[in-house]
Amino acid sequence: MNGWRTGVLSAIAVSVLAISGAPQDAASSELPRDSYYQLDVTLEPHAAGLLRLADLQGSPVIVAMFYASCAHVCPMTISTIKAIEAELAAEDRDRLRVLMVTLDPERDTPAVLAELADRHRVNNDRWRFARTSPEDVRLIAAVLGVKYRELPDGGFNHSSPILLLDTTGRELSRSEKLGLPEAAFVREVAAVIQNQVGLPIPGRVP
Amino acid sequence: MRQYARLVLAALMLVPAAGLAAAPPADIEAGLLQSVLPLTESADAVVIEHFLLARRPVTNREFLAFVTKKPEWRRGAVLPLFADQNYLAHWEGDLTPGEATLAEQPVTNVSWFAARAFCEADGGRLPTWHEWEYVAAADETQRDARPNPAWRQKILAWYSETGGKTLPEVGRRAPNAWGVHDLHGLVWEWVDDFNALLVSGDNREQGGADKMKFCGAAAATMEEKENYAVLMRTAMLSSLSGDATTRNLGFRCAYDVQEE
């Protein structure tokens, strides 16, 4: 058990993918009303099986958007998150999950994303690079407050916030700074991880 | 409460269909658009594919039918993630627009998420910014009237009107050359890629920091700076988040063409 709840989805997942992110279903009714996991979207990650956003509950999560062929800012987003991780104590780091959602689902197949994960030598227990349906990309971007537009050359203009979500998918903080991590942001990551220790099943706390 | 909902449904069905049945959407031929927001600095024309666009903004009556069918989009039930506190604030109740609200006024105080869900339930989608701009470039006789100063002045005059008046009903003004009403002069309208219009203050103010925040080319460059009216729209839309609602922001749906 590495904290990524997968395998819940089987044949159903295929049909879920076809439906774009309508809010709410029975499974998410226990989430806080302001949880980002209320967005019912299915992700296709670089490793393991399909994932719904709501499956992320239980761990603090860092989430950002990117695309694999991006030459400048996206690698910096990845290295910034790795730098945040590096500042955490080992036992804290183990409890953190990182979700990177691509803006370019057509090109960024799970194979491309797996290659990217290898290249950046991220920890596959904690990190997921993932794509979703093209319609759901804009939905996720709207929820996360990411602005982006596709360019004729296949690239994207986009803003690059790094968001910290609590165990129930509520946004606690965001950082727009790339490169050296913001000290305040790192402190918040550490705090949310440490505050979760010893709580009953996260995500079900009223 | 449930009984009341049934009454509302019954009332909806009693509304005479004549004149209220939505006209079929306008057929928008493919073409090229010199956008005020070109995709690159070289400012190449944007290709607009053949699509359909609703002739009128969505009305209170149509939105009531939607929330009657989709309880999760009622004012009292909508998730805060998808709509702010002013969502449908001008309605008396979840299923009662109230006497001060006219059925054929454009619905406003709706978020992007709600607008998108409405269009999806209707078998459509929100138009993209470029699609909207392409159709909105027309006056009553010409598909691209933007070079006409008199037309531009007419549009600007609407933006300078003071708020607080009762919103007119949809479709009262003459249609443009595409047969589409109310793109100017009634309400602002959501577009699907509202969060693609990278002209908001937060990235303009950063100056040299642009490259730190934006992948690829520099943020959108605005062309045709004399076209203030359309630029005001992009600035307004790009300042919003998807849950935002305002009293003068509504939407209309677009539909893909099923090519033979």
Side-chain angles (χ1 to χ4, degrees):
Chain A
M1 184 61 191
N2 59 20
W4 295 95
R5 282 200 264 154
T6 53
V8 187
L9 301 148
S10 52
I12 313 163
V14 181
S15 59
V16 172
L17 257 186
I19 304 162
S20 74
Q24 297 169 329
D25 62 5
S28 59
S29 57
E30 63 205 38
L31 289 167
R33 287 173 54 79
D34 57 349
S35 166
Y36 288 0
Y37 301 158
Q38 295 280 1
L39 197 61
D40 186 14
V41 298
T42 300
L43 301 159
E44 196 180 358
H46 81 277
L50 294 174
L51 190 68
R52 288 189 327 168
L53 271 185
D55 294 333
L56 295 170
Q57 60 185 306
S59 304
V61 174
I62 284 181
V63 58
M65 297 187 84
F66 79 107
Y67 64 102
S69 60
C70 168
H72 304 293
V73 174
C74 311
M76 282 187 72
T77 303
I78 296 168
S79 61
T80 304
I81 297 172
K82 286 170 77 176
I84 292 167
E85 278 194 324
E87 295 199 19
L88 300 172
E91 65 269 27
D92 288 349
R93 191 158 54 232
D94 286 346
R95 303 206 47 178
L96 182 68
R97 297 292 174 267
V98 180
L99 175 67
M100 302 288 298
V101 182
T102 180
L103 296 165
D104 190 6
E106 294 193 5
R107 269 169 288 234
D108 290 351
T109 61
V112 168
L113 297 176
E115 196 273 326
L116 185 78
D118 272 359
R119 186 154 23 105
H120 286 278
R121 296 200 193 92
V122 300
N123 180 314
N124 278 326
D125 289 338
R126 294 202 306 276
W127 284 63
R128 288 291 181 271
F129 292 90
R131 71 170 176 179
T132 182
S133 71
E135 300 76 45
D136 286 350
V137 174
R138 203 158 282 289
L139 213 47
I140 291 181
V143 164
L144 300 181
V146 172
K147 298 190 172 196
Y148 75 98
R149 68 187 337 215
E150 188 167 5
L151 301 170
D153 67 1
F156 292 81
N157 279 340
H158 65 99
S159 60
S160 311
I162 295 172
L163 284 77
L164 172 63
L165 309 184
D166 73 9
T167 56
T168 63
R170 285 180 296 200
E171 179 180 332
L172 294 174
S173 184
R174 65 171 59 211
S175 173
E176 304 272 349
K177 187 170 178 294
L178 297 180
L180 278 180
E182 274 180 293
F185 189 77
V186 174
R187 276 197 300 275
E188 284 180 277
V189 175
V192 66
I193 294 170
Q194 286 156 13
N195 287 340
Q196 298 312 319
V197 175
L199 282 182
I201 309 168
R204 282 147 221 264
V205 185
Chain B
M1 189 63 202
R2 181 169 299 163
Q3 221 169 4
Y4 189 71
R6 223 178 277 138
L7 275 177
V8 171
L9 265 180
L12 281 173
M13 288 186 293
L14 286 175
V15 167
L20 284 180
D27 190 84
I28 310 297
E29 278 172 32
L32 293 175
L33 170 71
Q34 285 294 341
S35 173
V36 296
L37 287 180
L39 292 169
T40 62
E41 285 168 2
S42 63
D44 290 335
V46 179
V47 178
I48 307 293
E49 308 282 355
H50 184 197
F51 75 108
L52 308 176
L53 185 67
R55 292 176 193 271
R56 301 161 180 195
V58 171
T59 62
N60 284 307
R61 176 179 56 82
E62 292 164 326
F63 206 78
L64 174 61
F66 167 69
V67 298
T68 304
K69 268 186 279 179
K70 304 270 186 179
E72 70 269 29
W73 290 107
R74 291 175 195 169
R75 191 174 73 186
V78 71
L79 290 164
L81 197 58
F82 300 128
D84 68 17
Q85 302 223 331
N86 276 326
Y87 179 65
L88 296 175
H90 61 295
W91 286 14
E92 264 178 32
D94 277 14
L95 294 171
T96 43
E99 282 176 18
T101 300
L102 303 179
E104 298 307 311
Q105 279 172 331
V107 68
T108 58
N109 288 326
V110 283
S111 66
W112 176 84
F113 291 102
R116 211 176 195 241
F118 177 102
C119 292
E120 198 177 292
D122 197 37
R125 56 181 175 79
L126 288 172
T128 66
W129 165 257
H130 283 140
E131 286 171 340
W132 190 95
E133 186 187 0
Y134 181 65
V135 182
D139 67 7
E140 290 164 26
T141 56
Q142 285 191 303
R143 287 183 178 177
D144 192 351
R146 293 178 300 175
N148 179 352
W151 181 75
R152 283 210 298 259
Q153 194 50 48
K154 194 172 150 188
I155 293 172
L156 267 182
W158 170 60
Y159 287 93
S160 61
E161 278 174 23
T162 52
K165 290 184 199 159
T166 306
L167 270 179
E169 298 183 329
V170 301
R172 290 299 175 99
R173 297 185 190 216
N176 74 9
W178 295 103
V180 177
H181 296 261
D182 302 324
L183 288 163
H184 301 283
L186 189 57
V187 285
W188 309 75
E189 296 180 20
W190 281 112
V191 293
D192 192 54
D193 51 349
F194 78 99
N195 57 356
L197 315 175
L198 301 173
V199 292
S200 64
D202 61 353
N203 69 63
R204 289 267 139 175
E205 286 161 14
Q206 301 274 331
D210 271 4
K211 285 205 165 50
M212 294 294 285
K213 293 183 74 181
F214 292 95
C215 251
T221 42
M222 300 201 288
E223 297 296 317
E224 300 201 44
K225 295 184 174 57
E226 75 279 13
N227 202 338
Y228 295 120
V230 172
L231 288 176
M232 277 199 291
R233 267 191 195 253
T234 63
M236 197 280 296
L237 286 171
S238 66
S239 72
L240 297 174
S241 54
D243 63 335
T245 67
T246 82
R247 187 64 184 100
N248 53 10
L249 176 60
F251 69 102
R252 72 179 70 217
C253 304
Y255 307 84
D256 290 325
V257 176
Q258 309 302 324
E259 301 289 356
E260 297 292 308

